[in-house]
């Protein structure tokens, strides 16, 4: 779609963009959502792809994902031999309601900053206990827990001109065992619920991440594996207003699915699979 209110595109921003941020600006990365609908309040696009941030930087500390890393690059990284990334990264990329053409442009950071309940990059990074580095227009930076970033449907903690620079996933999270469940109304549809459970190798803990069925991510953690009743009760205490409603499911439907799949995840991890 043509954005007929745009009067300028900044093709070569400074290495640390934002100092000249003004009302009507927006960041441009993949642009797959930005160009899909009218944007009457926008006047200027600032192209972040020109900064050439490294998309994926593995190290002993974990994995750094540049905010402009494309879904295509992340999917290609999720190959055999990279541990948990070989499963959760793949499944999260495949959870996009999009074609391979969109994968070539859509970015990890863009999906997170759009902050929709069904955003699979939100699911992935919260489940892997990531942190986000945010850059402010005044040159300062802050690091936030991925869990705290999204606050509601299409809502997050970014302030005007603030930018998501990178996502850091700790090595300990990449070593965890994991199980996941996702439900859609159609085979290639938008997620109605998307759950990931993780467990520390050699331990009996459980961290359950609930997304898509809720307006913001919910993390439920247990030091030891709960019984079925305790797990169900922990889901019951999620506030009513947090459950999401749209044509893909009512709050009651999503709560029911969450309970059902949470129990499947619990049993799967108790049984020792999958890695």
């Amino acid at each position: 779609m043509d954005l007929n209110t745009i009067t300028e595109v900044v093709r070569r921003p400074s290495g640390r963009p934002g100092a000249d941020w003004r009302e009507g600006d927006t960041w441009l990365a993949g642009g797959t959502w930005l160009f899909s609908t009218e944007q009457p309040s926008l006047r200027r696009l600032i192209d972040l792809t020109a900064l050439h941030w490294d998309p994926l930087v593995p190290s002993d500390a974990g994995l750094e994902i540049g905010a402009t890393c494309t879904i295509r690059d992340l999917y290609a990284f999720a190959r055999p031999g990279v541990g948990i990334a070989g499963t959760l990264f793949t499944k999260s990329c495949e959870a996009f309601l999009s074609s391979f053409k969109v994968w070539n442009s859509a970015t990890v950071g863009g999906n997170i900053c759009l902050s929709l309940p069904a955003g699979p990059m939100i699911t992935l990074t919260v489940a892997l206990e990531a942190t986000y580095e945010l850059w402010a227009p005044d040159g300062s930076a802050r690091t936030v827990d991925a869990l705290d970033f999204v606050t509601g449907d299409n809502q997050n903690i970014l302030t005007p001109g603030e930018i998501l620079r990178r996502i850091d996933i700790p090595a300990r999270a990449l070593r965890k065992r994991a199980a996941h469940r996702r439900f859609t109304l159609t085979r290639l549809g938008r997620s109605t619920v998307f759950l990931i459970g993780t467990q520390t190798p050699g331990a009996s803990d459980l961290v359950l991440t609930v997304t898509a069925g809720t307006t913001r991510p919910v993390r439920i953690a247990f030091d030891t594996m709960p019984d079925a009743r305790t797990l169900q009760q922990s889901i019951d205490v999620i506030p009513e207003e947090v459950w999401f409603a749209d044509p893909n499911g009512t709050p009651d439907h999503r709560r029911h699915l969450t309970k059902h799949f949470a129990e499947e995840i619990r049993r799967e991890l108790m049984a020792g699979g999958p890695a």
Side-chain angles (χ1 to χ4, degrees):
M1 172 179 288
D2 291 335
L3 301 180
N4 56 18
T5 62
I6 299 300
T7 60
E8 183 183 359
V9 178
V10 179
R11 294 293 188 185
R12 294 179 176 81
S14 65
R16 195 178 182 92
D20 61 344
W21 179 271
R22 59 181 184 243
E23 186 176 354
D25 285 357
T26 194
W27 305 113
L28 172 64
T32 53
W33 174 82
L34 186 67
F35 286 98
S36 71
T37 186
E38 295 180 357
Q39 308 287 352
S41 65
L42 300 185
R43 300 293 179 269
R44 188 171 67 152
L45 304 179
I46 304 172
D47 186 2
L48 297 177
T49 61
L51 298 175
H52 302 294
W53 291 336
D54 290 333
L56 295 151
V57 183
S59 69
D60 291 342
L63 177 66
E64 175 187 315
I65 305 174
T68 53
C69 174
T70 64
I71 305 308
R72 176 195 60 196
D73 287 343
L74 186 65
Y75 191 77
F77 178 80
R79 60 194 183 279
V82 292
I84 197 173
T87 54
L88 291 188
F89 284 29
T90 298
K91 293 302 180 182
S92 296
C93 290
E94 292 173 347
F96 270 85
L97 180 59
S98 63
S99 70
F100 72 91
K101 294 179 181 179
V102 174
W103 282 21
N104 289 337
S105 298
T107 64
V108 175
N111 185 251
I112 292 171
C113 292
L114 190 54
S115 300
L116 298 178
M121 296 298 100
I122 299 168
T123 309
L124 174 69
T125 56
V126 172
L128 293 182
E129 303 169 41
T131 57
Y132 300 160
E133 182 177 301
L134 309 181
W135 285 2
D138 64 4
S140 62
R142 58 174 173 151
T143 300
V144 301
D145 192 315
L147 179 66
D148 300 325
F149 182 80
V150 176
T151 57
D153 179 17
N154 198 212
Q155 300 175 2
N156 57 52
I157 64 172
L158 287 174
T159 59
E162 197 168 30
I163 187 174
L164 171 59
R165 167 59 183 89
R166 73 183 191 205
I167 301 99
D168 290 302
I169 300 175
R172 57 177 173 74
L174 292 170
R175 289 191 291 266
K176 285 191 172 185
R177 299 171 56 243
H180 59 84
R181 294 293 187 277
R182 177 173 171 258
F183 177 85
T184 62
L185 293 179
T186 60
R187 187 173 69 88
L188 298 176
R190 188 182 300 276
S191 300
T192 299
V193 296
F194 193 176
L195 284 73
I196 294 176
T198 61
Q199 186 179 63
T200 305
S204 62
D205 61 327
L206 171 66
V207 178
L208 181 69
T209 298
V210 178
T211 63
T214 51
T215 57
R216 57 173 174 78
V218 175
R219 181 186 292 157
I220 305 171
F222 300 92
D223 292 333
T224 57
M225 185 64 70
D227 58 27
R229 181 179 180 182
T230 300
L231 181 60
Q232 299 293 301
Q233 289 174 338
S234 71
I235 295 169
D236 281 332
V237 302
I238 297 175
E240 182 69 30
E241 65 272 14
V242 172
W243 293 102
F244 187 48
D246 74 352
N248 294 291
T250 64
D252 286 343
H253 177 55
R254 286 177 148 110
R255 183 186 298 106
H256 169 76
L257 290 173
T258 297
K259 288 185 172 183
H260 174 76
F261 289 133
E263 176 58 15
E264 287 192 354
I265 288 172
R266 186 187 75 89
R267 292 183 180 183
E268 186 172 307
L269 291 176
M270 282 184 64

